[in-house]
């Protein structure tokens, strides 16, 4: 099973490139952000809890996100592979993912890290906010999401570098060119 983590700051293109990967490699998509937004839309307890964090651009607590992941993962067990989009975002989440995969006889296959500079990220997120209507795509929340990325999520890169699974890819250029580079990296490990 191909287990791809797509890694990068908010606005780096994870969602867009995930869609391309899903089509080309027939993968199931696990986006914790999408799961949380669906819970919010349905007005569940989990959704209500998540809303407070998402609106401020903060991370939803690890135990909540980790707890919800096992069920999602099991619902995808017949897929050819999974793409993890927006998870893991902290060291404890990465440890939990490795444990969950190990228990299922699997492991992380590759970590694709989309590299984009901060001014470009802010530009993209503001533009996306004008179209998406996402409550967290406003300047104040964007800034705190980028801080959270820098402080809590980007340290994961070092962790995946030591496992030899990290493939940094420049996330600037056309969507097609970037996807070509991602596909080459995935084909290399297959
Ligand atoms: P995303 O759609 O991946 O940009 O996620 C939107 C928001 O959902 C984030 O800013 C967090 O508040 C929350 N979120 C999504 N995934 C996670 C995660 N793995 N850990 C904690 N919070 C998350």
């Amino acid at each position: 099973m191909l287990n791809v983590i797509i890694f990068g700051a908010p606005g780096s293109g994870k969602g867009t490139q995930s869609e391309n990967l899903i089509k080309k490699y027939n993968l199931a998509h696990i986006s914790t952000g999408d799961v949380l937004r669906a819970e919010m839309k349905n007005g569940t307890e989990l959704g209500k809890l998540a809303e407070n964090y998402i609106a401020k651009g903060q991370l939803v607590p690890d135990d909540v996100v980790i707890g919800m992941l096992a069920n999602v993962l099991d619902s995808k067990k017949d897929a050819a592979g999974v793409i993890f989009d927006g998870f893991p975002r902290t060291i404890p989440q990465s440890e939990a993912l490795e444990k969950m995969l190990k228990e299922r006889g699997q492991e992380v296959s590759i970590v694709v890290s989309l590299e984009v500079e901060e001014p470009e990220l802010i530009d993209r997120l503001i533009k996306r906010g004008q179209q998406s209507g996402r409550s967290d795509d406003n300047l104040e929340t964007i800034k705190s999401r980028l801080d959270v990325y820098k402080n809590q999520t980007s340290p994961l890169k070092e962790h995946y570098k030591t496992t030899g699974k990290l493939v940094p890819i420049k996330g600037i250029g056309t969507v097609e060119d970037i996807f070509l580079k991602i596909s080459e990296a995935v084909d290399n490990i297959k």
Side-chain angles (χ1 to χ4, degrees), residues 32-33 36-37 54 58-60 65 86-87 89 93 134 136:
T32 42
L36 292 168
R37 277 185 291 277
I54 293 180
Q58 293 168 358
L59 294 184
V60 174
V65 182
F87 184 93
R89 263 175 153 102
Q93 288 184 19
R134 261 178 66 162
D136 57 350

Side-chain angles (χ1 to χ4, degrees), residues 87-186:
F87 184 93
R89 263 175 153 102
T90 62
I91 299 280
Q93 288 184 19
S94 73
E95 288 166 355
L97 177 62
E98 273 143 45
K99 186 163 169 269
M100 260 184 261
L101 289 175
K102 204 169 172 195
E103 282 164 5
R104 290 161 179 79
Q106 295 175 48
E107 60 176 10
V108 172
S109 314
I110 183 171
V111 182
V112 173
S113 172
L114 295 174
E115 311 285 332
V116 179
E117 301 292 332
E118 197 163 305
E120 170 74 13
L121 294 170
I122 295 176
D123 232 42
R124 287 186 189 177
L125 288 166
I126 287 175
K127 284 201 188 106
R128 185 173 81 184
Q130 287 158 355
Q131 292 153 8
S132 70
R134 261 178 66 162
S135 60
D136 57 350
D137 282 344
N138 60 73
L139 191 57
E140 198 190 333
T141 312
I142 288 169
K143 290 212 165 126
S144 85
R145 287 159 66 205
L146 291 173
D147 278 348
V148 165
Y149 173 75
K150 227 185 284 170
N151 298 328
Q152 299 184 56
T153 305
S154 70
L156 275 178
K157 268 206 268 188
E158 280 308 311
H159 167 70
Y160 285 118
K161 214 187 264 176
T162 58
T163 65
K165 290 184 175 158
L166 187 81
V167 181
I169 288 180
K170 208 163 172 219
I172 298 282
T174 66
V175 170
E176 293 76 19
D177 283 346
I178 299 165
F179 186 59
L180 213 61
K181 287 188 250 169
I182 297 176
S183 305
E184 273 171 20
V186 172

Side-chain angles (χ1 to χ4, degrees), residues 17-88:
Q17 297 298 349
S18 291
E19 280 171 31
N20 288 334
L21 280 162
I22 290 158
K23 276 189 223 137
K24 176 155 185 187
Y25 298 99
N26 204 15
L27 304 178
H29 188 202
I30 297 184
S31 155
T32 42
D34 283 353
V35 175
L36 292 168
R37 277 185 291 277
E39 296 281 341
M40 275 161 53
K41 204 168 153 215
N42 292 331
T44 64
E45 284 307 310
L46 173 58
K48 282 181 207 151
L49 186 142
E51 205 157 6
N52 299 313
Y53 296 94
I54 293 180
K56 291 190 211 129
Q58 293 168 358
L59 294 184
V60 174
D62 281 338
D63 54 342
V64 175
V65 182
I66 292 167
M68 104 194 167
L69 196 82
N71 288 337
V72 183
L73 194 57
D74 283 332
S75 73
K76 313 281 186 193
K77 65 174 183 291
D78 297 328
V82 174
I83 173 144
F84 296 91
D85 165 9
F87 184 93

